[in-house]
Amino acid sequence: MTDSTPSHRDLALLRAVAAGRAQITRSSEPDLFIDGLACCDQVAAGRLARSGLVEPRVPAAPGRRVPARLTALGARVLGEGLGLSA
């Protein structure tokens, strides 16, 4: 996201998470996987996690890959097309 506006790629990643197609690793810099493949933009994936838009669906040990889910803020950003400052 640049400033508070989600990019088309950010929104595509959020849609994949919302559709249940994503997994995330628990780490200081989480990795996102879509349909079992590593996300091509790990910078964007990390930014979405650090911004509180996506998170692991279940508790996990560090480094473990688990299903990802949208947070309430992530669902709001996706559903309303809002940036973080809205």
Side-chain angles (χ1 to χ4, degrees):
M1 272 176 285
T2 57
D3 301 314
S4 62
T5 305
S7 69
H8 291 287
R9 182 171 291 165
D10 294 332
L11 293 173
L13 291 172
L14 291 175
R15 282 192 298 273
V17 172
R21 297 173 41 217
Q23 295 177 310
I24 192 168
T25 58
R26 183 175 162 248
S27 68
S28 60
E29 193 62 38
D31 293 318
L32 194 62
F33 297 81
I34 308 296
D35 297 331
L37 301 173
C39 175
C40 67
D41 189 346
Q42 288 298 333
V43 173
R47 185 175 57 245
L48 294 176
R50 284 190 308 279
S51 296
L53 302 179
V54 298
E55 65 185 7
R57 183 175 302 218
V58 297
R64 182 163 164 85
R65 192 189 307 187
V66 295
R69 71 174 172 198
L70 291 180
T71 63
L73 178 58
R76 183 171 166 224
V77 168
L78 181 59
E80 299 177 11
L82 296 176
L84 294 177
S85 64

Short mmCIF file of all heavy atoms in Angstrom, two decimals, residues 21-76:
data_model
loop_
_atom_site.label_atom_id
_atom_site.label_comp_id
_atom_site.label_asym_id
_atom_site.label_seq_id
_atom_site.Cartn_x
_atom_site.Cartn_y
_atom_site.Cartn_z
N ARG A 21 -7.83 -19.10 0.06
CA ARG A 21 -6.78 -19.66 -0.80
C ARG A 21 -5.37 -19.39 -0.28
O ARG A 21 -4.39 -19.74 -0.92
CB ARG A 21 -6.90 -19.06 -2.20
CG ARG A 21 -8.21 -19.40 -2.89
CD ARG A 21 -8.39 -18.66 -4.20
NE ARG A 21 -7.17 -18.60 -4.98
CZ ARG A 21 -6.81 -17.53 -5.70
NH1 ARG A 21 -7.57 -16.46 -5.75
NH2 ARG A 21 -5.67 -17.55 -6.37
N ALA A 22 -5.25 -18.76 0.89
CA ALA A 22 -3.94 -18.31 1.36
C ALA A 22 -3.51 -18.99 2.65
O ALA A 22 -4.32 -19.35 3.49
CB ALA A 22 -3.97 -16.80 1.57
N GLN A 23 -2.19 -19.13 2.75
CA GLN A 23 -1.56 -19.59 3.98
C GLN A 23 -0.50 -18.55 4.34
O GLN A 23 0.01 -17.84 3.47
CB GLN A 23 -0.88 -20.94 3.79
CG GLN A 23 -1.84 -22.06 3.50
CD GLN A 23 -1.08 -23.35 3.24
OE1 GLN A 23 -0.15 -23.39 2.46
NE2 GLN A 23 -1.49 -24.41 3.93
N ILE A 24 -0.17 -18.48 5.63
CA ILE A 24 0.80 -17.52 6.12
C ILE A 24 1.72 -18.22 7.11
O ILE A 24 1.31 -19.17 7.79
CB ILE A 24 0.08 -16.32 6.77
CG1 ILE A 24 1.02 -15.15 7.03
CG2 ILE A 24 -0.68 -16.73 8.02
CD1 ILE A 24 0.30 -13.85 7.40
N THR A 25 2.97 -17.79 7.16
CA THR A 25 3.88 -18.33 8.16
C THR A 25 3.92 -17.38 9.35
O THR A 25 3.76 -16.17 9.19
CB THR A 25 5.32 -18.49 7.62
OG1 THR A 25 5.79 -17.22 7.16
CG2 THR A 25 5.38 -19.51 6.51
N ARG A 26 4.09 -17.95 10.51
CA ARG A 26 4.23 -17.13 11.71
C ARG A 26 5.71 -16.81 11.87
O ARG A 26 6.52 -17.69 12.07
CB ARG A 26 3.72 -17.86 12.94
CG ARG A 26 3.80 -16.98 14.15
CD ARG A 26 3.21 -17.62 15.37
NE ARG A 26 3.73 -16.88 16.50
CZ ARG A 26 4.58 -17.39 17.38
NH1 ARG A 26 4.96 -18.63 17.31
NH2 ARG A 26 5.03 -16.64 18.36
N SER A 27 6.04 -15.54 11.73
CA SER A 27 7.42 -15.08 11.89
C SER A 27 7.42 -13.56 11.98
O SER A 27 6.39 -12.92 11.79
CB SER A 27 8.28 -15.55 10.72
OG SER A 27 7.91 -14.91 9.54
N SER A 28 8.59 -13.01 12.25
CA SER A 28 8.69 -11.55 12.32
C SER A 28 8.46 -10.93 10.95
O SER A 28 8.02 -9.78 10.85
CB SER A 28 10.05 -11.13 12.86
OG SER A 28 11.07 -11.62 12.02
N GLU A 29 8.73 -11.66 9.90
CA GLU A 29 8.44 -11.22 8.53
C GLU A 29 7.68 -12.36 7.86
O GLU A 29 8.26 -13.21 7.18
CB GLU A 29 9.75 -10.92 7.78
CG GLU A 29 9.55 -10.18 6.49
CD GLU A 29 8.92 -8.81 6.65
OE1 GLU A 29 9.22 -8.10 7.61
OE2 GLU A 29 8.09 -8.46 5.78
N PRO A 30 6.35 -12.40 8.04
CA PRO A 30 5.57 -13.53 7.55
C PRO A 30 5.60 -13.67 6.03
O PRO A 30 5.67 -12.68 5.31
CB PRO A 30 4.15 -13.25 8.04
CG PRO A 30 4.13 -11.83 8.45
CD PRO A 30 5.53 -11.39 8.68
N ASP A 31 5.57 -14.91 5.58
CA ASP A 31 5.47 -15.22 4.16
C ASP A 31 4.03 -15.60 3.86
O ASP A 31 3.36 -16.23 4.68
CB ASP A 31 6.38 -16.39 3.79
CG ASP A 31 7.85 -16.03 3.92
OD1 ASP A 31 8.22 -14.92 3.52
OD2 ASP A 31 8.61 -16.87 4.43
N LEU A 32 3.56 -15.23 2.69
CA LEU A 32 2.20 -15.54 2.27
C LEU A 32 2.26 -16.49 1.08
O LEU A 32 3.10 -16.32 0.18
CB LEU A 32 1.47 -14.25 1.87
CG LEU A 32 -0.03 -14.30 1.71
CD1 LEU A 32 -0.72 -14.67 3.02
CD2 LEU A 32 -0.55 -12.95 1.22
N PHE A 33 1.41 -17.49 1.09
CA PHE A 33 1.33 -18.47 0.01
C PHE A 33 -0.09 -18.47 -0.53
O PHE A 33 -1.05 -18.48 0.25
CB PHE A 33 1.67 -19.88 0.52
CG PHE A 33 3.08 -19.98 1.03
CD1 PHE A 33 3.42 -19.55 2.30
CD2 PHE A 33 4.07 -20.50 0.21
CE1 PHE A 33 4.72 -19.64 2.76
CE2 PHE A 33 5.38 -20.58 0.66
CZ PHE A 33 5.70 -20.15 1.95
N ILE A 34 -0.24 -18.41 -1.85
CA ILE A 34 -1.54 -18.43 -2.50
C ILE A 34 -1.62 -19.71 -3.32
O ILE A 34 -0.74 -19.98 -4.14
CB ILE A 34 -1.75 -17.21 -3.42
CG1 ILE A 34 -1.47 -15.90 -2.68
CG2 ILE A 34 -3.15 -17.23 -4.03
CD1 ILE A 34 -2.38 -15.59 -1.52
N ASP A 35 -2.66 -20.50 -3.09
CA ASP A 35 -2.83 -21.77 -3.80
C ASP A 35 -1.58 -22.65 -3.67
O ASP A 35 -1.20 -23.35 -4.60
CB ASP A 35 -3.18 -21.55 -5.27
CG ASP A 35 -4.50 -20.83 -5.44
OD1 ASP A 35 -5.39 -20.98 -4.57
OD2 ASP A 35 -4.65 -20.11 -6.45
N GLY A 36 -0.91 -22.59 -2.52
CA GLY A 36 0.25 -23.41 -2.25
C GLY A 36 1.56 -22.88 -2.77
O GLY A 36 2.62 -23.45 -2.51
N LEU A 37 1.53 -21.77 -3.51
CA LEU A 37 2.74 -21.19 -4.09
C LEU A 37 3.11 -19.91 -3.34
O LEU A 37 2.24 -19.13 -2.95
CB LEU A 37 2.53 -20.86 -5.57
CG LEU A 37 2.16 -22.04 -6.46
CD1 LEU A 37 1.83 -21.54 -7.86
CD2 LEU A 37 3.29 -23.05 -6.49
N ALA A 38 4.40 -19.68 -3.19
CA ALA A 38 4.87 -18.47 -2.52
C ALA A 38 4.38 -17.24 -3.29
O ALA A 38 4.44 -17.20 -4.52
CB ALA A 38 6.39 -18.46 -2.44
N CYS A 39 3.90 -16.27 -2.54
CA CYS A 39 3.43 -15.01 -3.14
C CYS A 39 4.60 -14.35 -3.88
O CYS A 39 5.72 -14.32 -3.39
CB CYS A 39 2.91 -14.10 -2.03
SG CYS A 39 2.43 -12.47 -2.59
N CYS A 40 4.32 -13.81 -5.06
CA CYS A 40 5.38 -13.20 -5.87
C CYS A 40 5.85 -11.87 -5.30
O CYS A 40 6.90 -11.37 -5.67
CB CYS A 40 4.91 -13.01 -7.31
SG CYS A 40 3.59 -11.81 -7.48
N ASP A 41 5.09 -11.28 -4.38
CA ASP A 41 5.46 -9.99 -3.79
C ASP A 41 5.44 -10.12 -2.27
O ASP A 41 4.47 -9.75 -1.62
CB ASP A 41 4.48 -8.92 -4.27
CG ASP A 41 4.92 -7.51 -3.88
OD1 ASP A 41 5.82 -7.37 -3.02
OD2 ASP A 41 4.35 -6.55 -4.41
N GLN A 42 6.52 -10.66 -1.72
CA GLN A 42 6.58 -10.85 -0.27
C GLN A 42 6.64 -9.52 0.47
O GLN A 42 6.26 -9.45 1.63
CB GLN A 42 7.77 -11.73 0.11
CG GLN A 42 7.57 -13.18 -0.26
CD GLN A 42 6.39 -13.83 0.46
OE1 GLN A 42 5.99 -13.43 1.55
NE2 GLN A 42 5.80 -14.83 -0.16
N VAL A 43 7.09 -8.45 -0.17
CA VAL A 43 7.08 -7.13 0.45
C VAL A 43 5.63 -6.71 0.72
O VAL A 43 5.28 -6.27 1.81
CB VAL A 43 7.82 -6.09 -0.41
CG1 VAL A 43 7.65 -4.69 0.15
CG2 VAL A 43 9.29 -6.45 -0.52
N ALA A 44 4.77 -6.89 -0.28
CA ALA A 44 3.35 -6.56 -0.11
C ALA A 44 2.71 -7.46 0.94
O ALA A 44 1.94 -7.00 1.78
CB ALA A 44 2.61 -6.68 -1.44
N ALA A 45 3.05 -8.74 0.91
CA ALA A 45 2.48 -9.69 1.87
C ALA A 45 2.86 -9.29 3.30
O ALA A 45 2.02 -9.27 4.20
CB ALA A 45 2.96 -11.10 1.56
N GLY A 46 4.13 -8.96 3.51
CA GLY A 46 4.57 -8.53 4.83
C GLY A 46 3.91 -7.24 5.27
O GLY A 46 3.53 -7.07 6.44
N ARG A 47 3.74 -6.32 4.33
CA ARG A 47 3.08 -5.05 4.63
C ARG A 47 1.64 -5.27 5.07
O ARG A 47 1.16 -4.65 6.02
CB ARG A 47 3.16 -4.14 3.39
CG ARG A 47 2.63 -2.76 3.60
CD ARG A 47 2.84 -1.86 2.39
NE ARG A 47 2.24 -2.42 1.19
CZ ARG A 47 2.92 -2.81 0.12
NH1 ARG A 47 4.24 -2.72 0.08
NH2 ARG A 47 2.30 -3.30 -0.94
N LEU A 48 0.92 -6.17 4.40
CA LEU A 48 -0.47 -6.46 4.78
C LEU A 48 -0.53 -7.05 6.18
O LEU A 48 -1.42 -6.71 6.97
CB LEU A 48 -1.11 -7.41 3.77
CG LEU A 48 -1.30 -6.86 2.35
CD1 LEU A 48 -1.86 -7.94 1.44
CD2 LEU A 48 -2.19 -5.63 2.35
N ALA A 49 0.42 -7.92 6.50
CA ALA A 49 0.46 -8.52 7.84
C ALA A 49 0.81 -7.47 8.89
O ALA A 49 0.15 -7.37 9.93
CB ALA A 49 1.45 -9.68 7.88
N ARG A 50 1.84 -6.67 8.64
CA ARG A 50 2.25 -5.63 9.60
C ARG A 50 1.17 -4.57 9.78
O ARG A 50 1.05 -3.99 10.86
CB ARG A 50 3.55 -4.98 9.16
CG ARG A 50 4.77 -5.83 9.39
CD ARG A 50 6.05 -5.04 9.15
NE ARG A 50 6.09 -4.38 7.86
CZ ARG A 50 6.41 -4.96 6.70
NH1 ARG A 50 6.71 -6.24 6.68
NH2 ARG A 50 6.42 -4.27 5.58
N SER A 51 0.38 -4.33 8.74
CA SER A 51 -0.71 -3.34 8.83
C SER A 51 -1.92 -3.89 9.55
O SER A 51 -2.90 -3.17 9.75
CB SER A 51 -1.12 -2.90 7.42
OG SER A 51 -0.06 -2.24 6.78
N GLY A 52 -1.89 -5.17 9.91
CA GLY A 52 -3.00 -5.76 10.64
C GLY A 52 -4.18 -6.14 9.76
O GLY A 52 -5.31 -6.21 10.24
N LEU A 53 -3.94 -6.41 8.47
CA LEU A 53 -5.02 -6.76 7.56
C LEU A 53 -5.20 -8.27 7.42
O LEU A 53 -6.30 -8.74 7.13
CB LEU A 53 -4.79 -6.14 6.19
CG LEU A 53 -4.66 -4.61 6.17
CD1 LEU A 53 -4.39 -4.12 4.75
CD2 LEU A 53 -5.88 -3.95 6.74
N VAL A 54 -4.11 -9.02 7.59
CA VAL A 54 -4.17 -10.49 7.52
C VAL A 54 -3.41 -11.05 8.73
O VAL A 54 -2.51 -10.41 9.26
CB VAL A 54 -3.57 -11.05 6.21
CG1 VAL A 54 -4.35 -10.58 5.01
CG2 VAL A 54 -2.11 -10.72 6.06
N GLU A 55 -3.80 -12.26 9.11
CA GLU A 55 -3.18 -12.91 10.26
C GLU A 55 -3.37 -14.42 10.13
O GLU A 55 -4.22 -14.88 9.35
CB GLU A 55 -3.78 -12.42 11.56
CG GLU A 55 -5.25 -12.78 11.73
CD GLU A 55 -5.89 -12.18 12.97
OE1 GLU A 55 -5.25 -11.36 13.65
OE2 GLU A 55 -7.04 -12.54 13.24
N PRO A 56 -2.62 -15.20 10.93
CA PRO A 56 -2.85 -16.64 10.94
C PRO A 56 -4.24 -16.95 11.49
O PRO A 56 -4.71 -16.29 12.43
CB PRO A 56 -1.77 -17.17 11.88
CG PRO A 56 -0.73 -16.10 11.94
CD PRO A 56 -1.47 -14.82 11.74
N ARG A 57 -4.91 -17.92 10.92
CA ARG A 57 -6.24 -18.32 11.38
C ARG A 57 -6.17 -19.08 12.70
O ARG A 57 -7.09 -19.02 13.51
CB ARG A 57 -6.91 -19.19 10.33
CG ARG A 57 -8.33 -19.59 10.67
CD ARG A 57 -8.94 -20.35 9.54
NE ARG A 57 -8.90 -19.48 8.36
CZ ARG A 57 -9.85 -19.41 7.46
NH1 ARG A 57 -10.90 -20.17 7.54
NH2 ARG A 57 -9.74 -18.61 6.44
N VAL A 58 -5.08 -19.80 12.92
CA VAL A 58 -4.89 -20.60 14.13
C VAL A 58 -3.51 -20.31 14.71
O VAL A 58 -2.61 -19.90 13.99
CB VAL A 58 -5.04 -22.11 13.84
CG1 VAL A 58 -6.43 -22.45 13.36
CG2 VAL A 58 -4.01 -22.57 12.83
N PRO A 59 -3.34 -20.53 16.02
CA PRO A 59 -2.00 -20.37 16.61
C PRO A 59 -1.02 -21.34 15.94
O PRO A 59 -1.40 -22.43 15.54
CB PRO A 59 -2.21 -20.73 18.08
CG PRO A 59 -3.68 -20.60 18.32
CD PRO A 59 -4.34 -20.91 17.01
N ALA A 60 0.22 -20.91 15.82
CA ALA A 60 1.21 -21.76 15.16
C ALA A 60 2.59 -21.51 15.76
O ALA A 60 2.87 -20.43 16.26
CB ALA A 60 1.24 -21.46 13.67
N ALA A 61 3.42 -22.51 15.65
CA ALA A 61 4.82 -22.37 16.05
C ALA A 61 5.52 -21.48 15.03
O ALA A 61 5.12 -21.43 13.87
CB ALA A 61 5.48 -23.75 16.09
N PRO A 62 6.57 -20.77 15.45
CA PRO A 62 7.31 -19.94 14.50
C PRO A 62 7.76 -20.72 13.28
O PRO A 62 8.22 -21.85 13.38
CB PRO A 62 8.51 -19.46 15.33
CG PRO A 62 8.01 -19.49 16.74
CD PRO A 62 7.10 -20.69 16.81
N GLY A 63 7.56 -20.12 12.11
CA GLY A 63 7.96 -20.72 10.85
C GLY A 63 6.95 -21.68 10.25
O GLY A 63 7.08 -22.07 9.09
N ARG A 64 5.94 -22.04 11.00
CA ARG A 64 4.94 -22.99 10.50
C ARG A 64 3.94 -22.28 9.58
O ARG A 64 3.51 -21.17 9.85
CB ARG A 64 4.21 -23.63 11.67
CG ARG A 64 3.21 -24.66 11.25
CD ARG A 64 2.82 -25.54 12.41
NE ARG A 64 1.62 -26.28 12.14
CZ ARG A 64 1.59 -27.43 11.49
NH1 ARG A 64 2.70 -27.95 11.05
NH2 ARG A 64 0.46 -28.04 11.28
N ARG A 65 3.54 -22.95 8.51
CA ARG A 65 2.57 -22.42 7.56
C ARG A 65 1.17 -22.86 7.97
O ARG A 65 0.93 -24.04 8.17
CB ARG A 65 2.88 -22.95 6.17
CG ARG A 65 2.12 -22.25 5.08
CD ARG A 65 2.22 -22.88 3.72
NE ARG A 65 3.56 -23.13 3.24
CZ ARG A 65 3.83 -23.56 2.00
NH1 ARG A 65 2.84 -23.79 1.14
NH2 ARG A 65 5.06 -23.78 1.62
N VAL A 66 0.27 -21.90 8.12
CA VAL A 66 -1.11 -22.17 8.52
C VAL A 66 -2.06 -21.34 7.65
O VAL A 66 -1.63 -20.38 7.01
CB VAL A 66 -1.34 -21.84 10.02
CG1 VAL A 66 -0.52 -22.75 10.91
CG2 VAL A 66 -1.06 -20.39 10.32
N PRO A 67 -3.34 -21.67 7.63
CA PRO A 67 -4.30 -20.87 6.87
C PRO A 67 -4.28 -19.41 7.34
O PRO A 67 -4.13 -19.13 8.53
CB PRO A 67 -5.64 -21.52 7.16
CG PRO A 67 -5.31 -22.92 7.55
CD PRO A 67 -4.00 -22.83 8.27
N ALA A 68 -4.44 -18.51 6.39
CA ALA A 68 -4.51 -17.08 6.69
C ALA A 68 -5.96 -16.64 6.70
O ALA A 68 -6.82 -17.27 6.09
CB ALA A 68 -3.74 -16.29 5.64
N ARG A 69 -6.22 -15.55 7.40
CA ARG A 69 -7.56 -14.96 7.39
C ARG A 69 -7.44 -13.44 7.42
O ARG A 69 -6.43 -12.89 7.84
CB ARG A 69 -8.38 -15.44 8.57
CG ARG A 69 -7.93 -14.87 9.89
CD ARG A 69 -8.87 -15.25 11.00
NE ARG A 69 -8.30 -14.84 12.28
CZ ARG A 69 -8.70 -15.31 13.42
NH1 ARG A 69 -9.66 -16.20 13.48
NH2 ARG A 69 -8.14 -14.88 14.53
N LEU A 70 -8.50 -12.81 6.96
CA LEU A 70 -8.58 -11.35 7.06
C LEU A 70 -8.91 -10.98 8.49
O LEU A 70 -9.70 -11.66 9.15
CB LEU A 70 -9.69 -10.80 6.16
CG LEU A 70 -9.51 -10.88 4.66
CD1 LEU A 70 -10.72 -10.27 3.97
CD2 LEU A 70 -8.24 -10.19 4.21
N THR A 71 -8.35 -9.90 8.97
CA THR A 71 -8.79 -9.33 10.23
C THR A 71 -10.04 -8.50 9.94
O THR A 71 -10.42 -8.31 8.78
CB THR A 71 -7.69 -8.42 10.81
OG1 THR A 71 -7.49 -7.33 9.90
CG2 THR A 71 -6.38 -9.18 11.04
N ALA A 72 -10.65 -7.98 10.99
CA ALA A 72 -11.81 -7.10 10.78
C ALA A 72 -11.42 -5.89 9.94
O ALA A 72 -12.16 -5.48 9.04
CB ALA A 72 -12.39 -6.67 12.13
N LEU A 73 -10.24 -5.36 10.19
CA LEU A 73 -9.77 -4.22 9.41
C LEU A 73 -9.53 -4.62 7.96
O LEU A 73 -9.89 -3.89 7.03
CB LEU A 73 -8.48 -3.65 10.02
CG LEU A 73 -7.85 -2.48 9.28
CD1 LEU A 73 -8.82 -1.30 9.15
CD2 LEU A 73 -6.56 -2.06 9.97
N GLY A 74 -8.95 -5.80 7.75
CA GLY A 74 -8.73 -6.29 6.38
C GLY A 74 -10.02 -6.46 5.62
O GLY A 74 -10.12 -6.11 4.45
N ALA A 75 -11.04 -7.00 6.29
CA ALA A 75 -12.35 -7.17 5.65
C ALA A 75 -12.96 -5.82 5.30
O ALA A 75 -13.56 -5.65 4.24
CB ALA A 75 -13.28 -7.96 6.56
N ARG A 76 -12.77 -4.86 6.18
CA ARG A 76 -13.31 -3.53 5.93
C ARG A 76 -12.60 -2.86 4.75
O ARG A 76 -13.25 -2.29 3.87
CB ARG A 76 -13.15 -2.66 7.18
CG ARG A 76 -13.74 -1.30 7.04
CD ARG A 76 -13.75 -0.58 8.37
NE ARG A 76 -14.02 0.82 8.12
CZ ARG A 76 -13.38 1.82 8.69
NH1 ARG A 76 -12.44 1.57 9.58
NH2 ARG A 76 -13.67 3.05 8.40
#
